[in-house]
């Protein structure tokens, strides 16, 4: 049954969930062959493909980069492959242990346990901060404040995350919270068009793209590549925004 608990209680529950899942991966063995967008069904891939393209386009060996909510390292190696000096952070120590195995070939990754609401770094340290699906794991205002604080002037925020305007997705996620599949914190903090607008008050938008207005329906189809193409075609035709499932954003700190 759905009960609204404190923010800190929900955060601890999320941490424990990922600690347990990562411990199971460490016991069974880390699959080093599937990472990045390929981990997802075709109907979900487009925003993650776009995210990977932005990583390659904007990062290089001269950049100091922070990855927040890095988890088990699905994108950590892709970021490190640009040659950037990377610090990968997550609240789950076990998740970072998985990442160390998955990305063992890189020498330009430093790992650090960190809460996205209270990052243990000095002001204006990073040229870029990256996030894939982690913005909802902290209070929006606290996370925004920390992002702005640790980025240098003209530093880049590159992220991809869920959007919570479409009523189909919103009610599905709320039902998942009711059923205990997600915490109320992660539902409450899923970005919306409005919260993105608030975030961008401290940034200059470089690019924002919305994806997946019909993902809820396409997810019911067989998992074939044509489903991804169909999703992209629909999004282009209707210029989806408030109906989107996910978005990618590149923004420069003012």
């Amino acid at each position: 049954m759905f009960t609204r608990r404190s923010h800190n209680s929900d955060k601890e529950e999320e941490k424990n969930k990922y600690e347990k899942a990562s411990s199971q991966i460490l016991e069974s063995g880390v699959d080093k062959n599937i990472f990045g967008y390929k981990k997802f069904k075709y109907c979900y891939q487009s925003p993650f493909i776009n995210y990977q393209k932005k990583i390659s386009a904007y990062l290089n060996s001269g950049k100091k980069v922070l990855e927040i909510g890095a988890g088990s390292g699905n994108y950590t190696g892709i970021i490190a492959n640009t040659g950037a000096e990377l610090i990968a952070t997550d609240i789950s120590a076990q998740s970072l242990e998985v990442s160390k195995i998955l990305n063992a070939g890189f020498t330009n990754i430093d790992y650090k346990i960190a809460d996205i609401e209270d990052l243990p770094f000095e002001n204006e340290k990073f040229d870029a901060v990256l996030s894939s699906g982690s913005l909802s794991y902290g209070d929006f205002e606290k996370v925004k404040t920390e992002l702005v604080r640790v980025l240098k002037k003209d530093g880049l925020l590159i992220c991809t995350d869920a959007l919570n305007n479409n009523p189909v997705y919103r009610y599905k996620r709320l039902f998942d919270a009711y059923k205990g599949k997600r915490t109320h914190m992660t539902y409450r903090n899923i970005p919306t068009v409005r919260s993105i607008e608030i975030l961008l008050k401290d940034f200059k938008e470089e690019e924002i793209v919305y994806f997946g207005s019909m993902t809820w329906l396409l997810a019911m189809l067989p998992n074939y590549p044509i489903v991804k193409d169909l999703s992209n075609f629909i999004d282009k035709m209707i210029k989806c925004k408030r109906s989107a499932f996910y978005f990618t954003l590149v923004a420069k700190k003012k």
Side-chain angles (χ1 to χ4, degrees), residues 24 30-31 71-72 74 77 89 98 120 129 132 144 147 150-151 162 183 188 205 216 234 246-247:
Q24 292 173 345
V30 178
D31 186 350
S72 56
N74 190 40
T89 66
V98 175
V129 175
S132 173
K144 179 175 77 71
L147 292 175
V150 301
L151 273 171
T183 59
R188 184 176 64 250
E205 178 187 325
W216 62 272
I234 294 171
Y246 240 77
F247 69 95

Side-chain angles (χ1 to χ4, degrees), residues 221-232:
L221 299 178
N223 187 35
Y224 294 123
I226 193 173
V227 176
K228 178 175 61 181
D229 297 333
L230 179 59
S231 180
N232 292 337

Side-chain angles (χ1 to χ4, degrees), residues 19 24 26 31 46 59 67 79 81 88 96 102 109 121 128 143 147 159 169 202 209 228 236 239 243 246-247:
E19 290 275 81
Q24 292 173 345
L26 290 170
D31 186 350
S46 292
L59 301 184
E67 184 184 17
I79 298 169
N81 197 50
L96 294 180
L102 180 63
I109 306 173
F121 306 107
V143 174
L147 292 175
C159 68
Y169 302 127
D202 294 295
V209 185
K228 178 175 61 181
K236 185 177 180 180
K239 298 180 180 179
S243 63
Y246 240 77
F247 69 95

Side-chain angles (χ1 to χ4, degrees), residues 49-216:
I49 292 172
N50 188 264
Y51 179 59
Q52 288 184 212
K53 288 180 179 178
K54 300 312 167 190
I55 291 171
S56 298
Y58 285 94
L59 301 184
N60 56 54
S61 59
K63 302 291 186 182
K64 290 185 177 181
V65 177
L66 172 67
E67 184 184 17
I68 61 171
S72 56
N74 190 40
Y75 283 97
T76 302
I78 293 170
I79 298 169
N81 197 50
T82 66
E85 181 182 331
L86 173 62
I87 300 178
T89 66
D90 198 88
I91 200 170
S92 166
Q94 291 295 90
S95 293
L96 294 180
E97 290 301 318
V98 175
S99 183
K100 289 176 183 178
I101 296 172
L102 180 63
N103 302 299
F106 293 97
T107 60
N108 56 327
I109 306 173
D110 187 19
Y111 294 93
K112 193 173 185 66
I113 300 169
D115 185 339
I116 60 174
E117 295 181 347
D118 186 20
L119 296 170
F121 306 107
E122 61 265 32
N123 297 349
E124 300 185 346
K125 178 179 177 66
F126 297 101
D127 297 295
V129 175
L130 281 85
S131 168
S132 173
S134 63
L135 297 180
S136 62
Y137 289 88
D139 175 82
F140 170 75
E141 286 296 334
K142 292 180 180 179
V143 174
K144 179 175 77 71
T145 297
E146 288 295 272
L147 292 175
V148 173
R149 183 182 67 80
V150 301
L151 273 171
K152 298 177 181 178
K153 186 179 185 301
D154 292 330
L156 293 173
L157 171 64
I158 305 173
C159 68
T160 185
D161 218 306
L163 195 72
N164 212 33
N165 285 86
N166 186 315
V168 175
Y169 302 127
R170 188 167 67 246
Y171 292 132
K172 169 63 168 61
R173 291 160 179 156
L174 184 60
F175 183 71
D176 285 344
Y178 177 84
K179 296 293 288 184
K181 294 181 179 180
R182 68 160 64 236
T183 59
H184 183 80
M185 175 194 74
T186 60
Y187 171 77
R188 184 176 64 250
N189 292 315
I190 296 172
T192 62
V193 170
R194 176 57 181 157
S195 64
I196 294 171
E197 291 171 349
I198 294 171
L199 174 67
L200 289 175
K201 290 180 179 180
D202 294 295
F203 291 85
K204 293 175 284 188
E205 178 187 325
E206 295 289 306
E207 179 185 344
I208 184 166
V209 185
Y210 296 94
F211 299 89
S213 59
M214 296 297 289
T215 298
W216 62 272

